[in-house]
Amino acid sequence: MPVLDPNPQNGQKKLLLVLGAMLLITVIIAVIASFASP
């Protein structure tokens, strides 16, 4: 895998999308856990 992305804009957008998805999943899990706890 190349260290430098040939297309930085697209790579940056994909990285942002992955980070956003991870953050969203973390928030959803936290909300479910807070609802599940008595």
Side-chain angles (χ1 to χ4, degrees), residues 14-31:
K14 190 189 292 184
L15 183 68
L16 208 69
L17 196 70
V18 171
L19 286 174
M22 285 171 58
L23 189 68
L24 196 67
I25 291 170
T26 306
V27 170
I28 290 172
I29 290 174
V31 170

